[in-house]
């Protein structure tokens, strides 16, 4: 007999063999050796290159949209006044000498100076009338917005009367004006009346404006892609944008002149900044992404696509500024559609609807 007492309690029975049991935590050195190292991972595809920067349109926006300081304006105004004064004194002295030495030539000089003065006054009067007409369109736009907000039928009728008066001398809108004049009496809702005026008078003008934007976007894209000089593409883009903005005013009845066209361009750029349209929205993301894809093939062509997209956005802002009515029933143009049609016209396959 043994002196050891019998063992009582639970008995542990191992089912797995000893070699299959968990060996426990490995040492730190062995863990660092067996664990996957990020440095040993296979290389992944390179990230897509940065989207092309629209340097041309950035320069154009900076030239047009940035207002001069007070000191700059004072310097320019005083310089122009001094130059005009000295030029006038020199012209008068020259004509006076001609009258003294050669009376016939002197009187011819007096007549030419008078004609030039009349022409300058006529140019100033035309600029004043053009800007006053554009201010009238801007007032109609604000009244239309107020009529829509207040649901004022009297305000809508007044806006419709002003639209008919503005487009009274447009022969291509004669049939549309007649339809609006015949059917406006059957409408008793402000929004419906303004929608009818927009459909009858502005739908055709919107199509003309879209074609101008497509042409400008095509010009800017081609100039950026094909002109190798540093500032030549900026000059081409600036000229194309100014011409597009002036055409917007002419299409909708503003008829901005030379000085008024520059002021209108500054107004459009200010509207772009105020509405936040400079940032890439949903209608610009796909176009910019397409420019990034094309930049892999040709950097200049990718920049051209992005510059064309920004030109289209400037054109849409010009439409919103020059249009007598806000977009109510007519669809607002999108940058992607305008750029696509513009570039399609670059290769001779543009379809006019």
């Amino acid at each position: 007999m043994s002196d050891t007492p019998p063992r009582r309690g639970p008995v542990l029975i191992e089912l797995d063999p000893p070699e299959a049991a968990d060996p426990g935590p490995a040492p730190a050195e062995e863990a660092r050796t067996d664990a996957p190292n990020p440095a040993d991972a296979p290389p992944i595809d390179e990230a897509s290159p940065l989207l092309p920067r629209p340097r041309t349109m950035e320069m154009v926006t900076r030239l047009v949209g940035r207002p001069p300081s007070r000191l700059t304006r004072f310097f320019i105004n005083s310089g122009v006044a001094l130059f005009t004064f000295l030029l006038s004194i020199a012209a008068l002295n020259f004509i006076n000498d001609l009258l003294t030495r050669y009376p016939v030539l002197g009187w011819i000089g007096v007549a030419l100076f008078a004609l030039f003065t009349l022409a300058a006054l006529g140019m100033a009067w035309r600029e004043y009338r053009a800007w006053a007409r554009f201010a009238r369109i801007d007032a109609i736009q604000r009244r239309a917005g107020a009529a829509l907000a207040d649901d004022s039928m009297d305000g809508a009728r007044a806006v419709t009367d002003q639209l008919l008066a503005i487009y009274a001398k447009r022969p291509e809108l004669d049939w549309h004006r007649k339809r609006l004049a015949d059917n406006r009496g059957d409408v008793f809702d402000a929004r419906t009346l303004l929608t009818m005026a927009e459909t009858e008078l502005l739908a055709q003008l919107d199509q003309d404006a879209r074609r101008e934007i497509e042409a400008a976007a095509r010009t800017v894209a081609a100039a950026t892609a094909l002109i190798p000089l540093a500032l030549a593409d900026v000059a081409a883009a600036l000229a194309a944008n100014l011409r597009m903005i002036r055409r917007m005013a002419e299409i909708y009845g503003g008829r901005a002149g030379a000085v008024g066209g520059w002021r209108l361009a500054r107004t459009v750029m200010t509207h772009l900044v105020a509405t936040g349209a400079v940032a890439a929205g949903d209608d610009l993301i796909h176009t910019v992404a397409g420019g990034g894809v094309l930049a892999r093939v040709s950097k200049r062509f990718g920049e051209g696509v992005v510059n064309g997209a920004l030109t289209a956005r400037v054109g849409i802002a010009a439409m919103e500024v020059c249009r007598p009515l806000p977009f109510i029933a007519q669809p607002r143009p999108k940058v992607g559609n305008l750029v696509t049609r513009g570039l399609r016209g670059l290769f001779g396959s543009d379809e006019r609807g």
Side-chain angles (χ1 to χ4, degrees):
M1 296 297 291
S2 173
D3 296 336
T4 303
R7 182 180 298 176
R8 296 180 181 180
V11 178
L12 177 63
I13 302 175
E14 297 180 356
L15 299 179
D16 295 332
E19 60 270 12
D22 187 8
E29 294 81 9
E30 186 177 358
R32 283 197 299 267
T33 304
D34 297 336
N37 191 355
D40 299 333
I44 60 175
D45 295 335
E46 294 183 358
S48 59
L50 295 177
L51 294 176
R53 286 187 57 191
R55 296 181 179 85
T56 303
M57 283 303 298
E58 287 179 356
M59 183 66 69
V60 170
T61 306
R62 215 176 289 123
L63 289 174
V64 179
R66 184 175 59 185
S69 61
R70 293 183 178 180
L71 181 60
T72 303
R73 290 199 300 267
F74 177 73
F75 173 76
I76 294 175
N77 294 334
S78 60
V80 170
L82 178 61
F83 177 76
T84 304
F85 177 75
L86 295 179
L87 186 62
S88 302
I89 294 299
L92 291 176
N93 290 333
F94 180 74
I95 293 175
N96 190 22
D97 291 342
L98 280 180
L99 287 173
T100 302
R101 298 180 181 181
Y102 308 101
V104 177
L105 296 178
W107 284 110
I108 293 176
V110 171
L112 293 177
F113 187 78
L115 291 176
F116 175 77
T117 303
L118 290 177
L121 292 176
M123 291 286 293
W125 174 249
R126 188 181 69 175
E127 291 290 334
Y128 172 76
R129 289 189 59 187
W131 192 252
R133 189 178 181 89
F134 181 74
R136 181 182 177 188
I137 290 179
D138 183 65
I140 293 175
Q141 188 183 78
R142 286 186 278 105
R143 291 174 184 172
L148 287 174
D150 300 337
D151 196 14
S152 173
M153 191 63 186
D154 294 335
R157 288 196 184 99
V159 169
T160 306
D161 293 336
Q162 292 174 347
L163 287 175
L164 292 174
I166 285 180
Y167 298 126
K169 297 181 180 180
R170 301 285 288 269
E172 69 273 15
L173 297 178
D174 288 342
W175 185 74
H176 300 280
R177 286 199 311 272
K178 187 176 182 302
R179 279 175 52 90
L180 179 60
D182 294 340
N183 298 327
R184 57 180 296 188
D186 300 332
V187 179
F188 300 97
D189 179 68
R191 188 175 188 86
T192 305
L193 180 58
L194 292 180
T195 301
M196 181 185 298
E198 181 191 27
T199 304
E200 295 294 340
L201 297 179
L202 300 183
Q204 181 178 348
L205 302 182
D206 290 342
Q207 296 299 324
D208 298 337
R210 285 186 176 92
R211 284 192 283 270
E212 291 294 332
I213 296 175
E214 293 167 8
R218 179 168 58 246
T219 300
V220 172
T224 305
L226 301 178
I227 297 179
L229 300 179
L231 296 179
D233 57 347
V234 176
L238 178 61
N241 279 268
L242 291 178
R243 181 184 179 278
M244 176 186 64
I245 292 174
R246 289 189 61 183
R247 282 292 299 151
M248 291 295 114
E250 293 175 1
I251 287 172
Y252 291 109
R255 298 178 185 177
V259 180
W262 186 263
R263 293 181 61 185
L264 179 60
R266 289 185 53 189
T267 303
V268 170
M269 295 300 176
T270 305
H271 176 75
L272 274 174
V273 176
T275 56
V278 178
D282 294 338
D283 57 349
L284 190 61
I285 290 176
H286 298 292
T287 305
V288 174
V293 173
L294 290 174
R296 296 186 176 183
V297 180
S298 173
K299 180 180 178 181
R300 295 290 296 176
F301 196 75
E303 291 182 3
V305 172
V306 179
N307 286 327
L310 291 180
T311 300
R313 174 147 288 185
V314 172
I316 294 174
M319 285 183 65
E320 294 175 348
V321 171
C322 300
R323 207 171 184 265
L325 294 177
F327 288 98
I328 305 174
Q330 295 299 313
R332 186 178 182 271
K334 293 185 177 181
V335 173
N337 297 336
L338 295 174
V339 174
T340 301
R341 288 178 58 87
L343 295 182
R344 189 181 304 163
L346 183 64
F347 300 101
S349 60
D350 186 16
E351 298 178 0
R352 299 297 175 88

